[in-house]
Amino acid sequence: MSAEFPVARPRRLRRTSALRRMVAGTRLHAADLILPMFVKEGIGEPHPVVSMPGVVQHTRDSLRKAAREAAEAGVGGVILFGIPAVKDARGSAADDPDGILQVALRDVRAEVGDAVVVMADTCLDEFTDHGHCGILTESGDVDNDLTLERYASIAVAQATAGSQMIAPSGMMDGQVGVIRAALDAAGFADLPILAYSAKYASAFYGPFRDAAECAPQFGDRSTHQQDPAGPLEEALREVRLDLAEGADAVMVKPALAYLDVIRRFRDEVDVPVAAYQVSGEYAMIEAAAANGWVDRDRMIMESLVSIKRAGADLILTYWATEVARRL
Ligand code: PBG
C-alpha cells in the first residue's frame, strides 16, 4: 500500500449538506410537477378516496380551491379527471359541452388563469358504464377505430372548454394522429398533445380505478395497453409512432417500475418526457408510512428524484402540491 492510499475518496464531496447540495446532479423543481385531480359531478362534499389517503374526489368548489393551492405552490400543471353522474355505453358525457370535465376545465381556468398549465385526461373509461376506454364490439372487445372518432370529439370539447394540453391515455392505435387532425380542423392547431406513449397494463393503477370509478366491469386492458414483459423496443415503437403523428411531449406510465423506459425515451427522443407516478405508487408509500414502516417524506422525495434521474422532465404525482411547497 502506497503512502498516499487512497487518493480517491468519493466521500469528500459528501461531508456536509452544503457540499451535497452544491454537487447534486438531480434537482426537482415545482414547475416539473403536474397534479392529477378528480372531480365528481353532483356531490356536495369532497369524497375521500379510501385507497389513496389524502386524495379526494372533488366538488366543483373544492376543485377550484385545490387548483388555486397548486398554482400558489408553483406546480407546473394540473390534469383533471371527471366522474359523471350518468354513464352509458358510449361515454356521452365525455364530449358534452356541459359534461363535468368541460365544466371543471372552465372553472379551473377561471380560477388560475394562465398561472399553471390546465389539462384533462382524454379518455372514455370514466364515462362508460362498462368501464372500458372505448366503444365495445358485440363480443366485448374495444373497437379501436370507432373509439378514435370519440377521442377526436372529446379532444375538441376539452379544447373548446379551455384545456391547454390534450393528454390521450387510452392506448388506441392512431389516437394522436386522429386527435391532431381534429384539433387542427377545429382551429386548435397550436394546442399541444402530451401522448401517453408507453402505457403498461399495470396492477399499479388499482387505486385509481376507485378514485375515477372506472374499473372495467369485465375483462381487462391487456389487449391495448402494453405488456409489462414486452420488449423495450415496443415502447420505442409506440413513442416513434406518437411523434410521427404529431405528439409534442410523451409519457411513460407507471413510473417507478419503468425507469428503464423513461431513460430510453430521454436518450432517444427530442421532446419533453413525462412520467406518471401512478395511484399504486402513491398508495404503497402512504400505506407503509401509515403503519410506521417507512419515513414517508424521505421516501416521497427519493422516489421523485429517482424518476427525475432516470430522465423524466415532468412528473405527474398526487403529491405535487405538497412537494412543490417543500422545494
Ligand atoms: C385511463 C387512465 C388510467 C390512469 C390514468 N388514466 C387508468 C387505466 O388505464 O386503467 C391511471 C392513473 C393512476 O393509476 O394513478 N383514463
Side-chain angles (χ1 to χ4, degrees):
M1 198 194 296
S2 73
E4 306 89 82
F5 177 84
V7 173
R9 294 182 189 269
R11 61 167 61 191
R12 288 183 195 119
L13 290 178
R14 301 173 190 149
R15 271 176 52 86
T16 69
S17 64
L19 272 168
R20 291 191 296 272
R21 186 167 68 108
M22 190 181 75
V23 301
T26 306
R27 297 180 203 276
L28 289 171
H29 298 283
D32 303 334
L33 304 177
I34 298 171
L35 175 67
M37 292 194 288
F38 304 99
V39 57
K40 182 165 175 167
E41 188 170 29
I43 56 173
E45 292 291 325
H47 289 179
V49 179
V50 174
S51 52
M52 299 177 74
V55 172
V56 301
Q57 294 177 326
H58 283 290
T59 66
R60 285 178 61 185
D61 280 346
S62 72
L63 181 78
R64 286 178 78 128
K65 186 161 169 278
R68 167 167 294 278
E69 285 167 4
E72 283 168 0
V75 306
V78 298
I79 181 165
L80 310 183
F81 294 86
I83 305 126
V86 180
K87 305 187 181 207
D88 60 20
R90 59 188 294 280
S92 302
D95 54 342
D96 180 342
D98 296 318
I100 182 63
L101 205 43
Q102 279 65 256
V103 169
L105 280 165
R106 290 194 292 266
D107 284 347
V108 170
R109 283 300 305 281
E111 185 73 29
V112 301
D114 292 328
V116 294
V117 178
V118 179
M119 57 190 126
D121 188 60
T122 304
C123 199
L124 271 168
D125 54 331
E126 297 91 8
F127 298 94
T128 54
D129 52 11
H130 45 70
H132 282 286
C133 298
I135 303 297
L136 298 183
T137 63
E138 291 205 346
S139 56
D141 295 320
V142 178
D143 186 316
N144 190 86
D145 297 8
L146 282 180
T147 300
L148 291 181
E149 291 171 29
R150 298 287 297 127
Y151 286 2
S153 172
I154 298 167
V156 171
Q158 293 177 349
T160 305
S163 182
Q164 294 168 308
M165 208 160 188
I166 301 297
S169 66
M171 288 300 277
M172 296 304 127
D173 291 333
Q175 63 185 13
V176 172
V178 165
I179 287 173
R180 183 71 273 158
L183 290 173
D184 291 358
F188 297 105
D190 288 336
L191 195 62
I193 296 176
L194 166 59
Y196 287 64
S197 296
K199 177 172 177 181
Y200 288 87
S202 175
F204 286 94
Y205 306 148
F208 173 93
R209 293 179 185 172
D210 294 339
E213 301 179 19
C214 64
Q217 297 304 301
F218 57 88
D220 59 30
R221 311 209 206 290
S222 54
T223 56
H224 41 290
Q225 296 182 348
Q226 280 175 245
D227 182 356
L232 195 49
E233 289 67 28
E234 187 185 353
L236 291 173
R237 182 171 187 224
E238 285 281 3
V239 81
R240 285 187 197 117
L241 287 168
D242 284 351
L243 290 171
E245 291 173 29
D248 300 281
V250 297
M251 198 196 298
V252 176
K253 177 181 175 187
L256 212 48
Y258 298 89
L259 296 180
D260 55 333
V261 182
I262 297 172
R263 170 45 56 191
R264 274 301 284 275
F265 274 26
R266 186 56 290 155
D267 290 342
E268 300 269 342
V269 307
D270 54 6
V271 298
V273 174
Y276 197 144
Q277 183 179 53
V278 301
S279 56
E281 301 177 63
Y282 177 93
M284 274 193 313
I285 293 178
E286 290 288 353
N291 277 294
W293 295 338
V294 297
D295 181 332
R296 174 184 181 277
D297 293 359
R298 284 186 57 205
M299 218 177 193
I300 291 171
M301 294 310 276
E302 189 174 334
S303 65
L304 290 169
V305 163
S306 302
I307 295 164
K308 192 84 198 281
R309 194 184 60 242
D313 304 293
L314 305 170
I315 305 175
L316 290 83
T317 173
Y318 298 97
W319 290 300
T321 301
E322 175 186 332
V323 170
R325 285 190 184 127
R326 219 187 288 163
L327 290 172

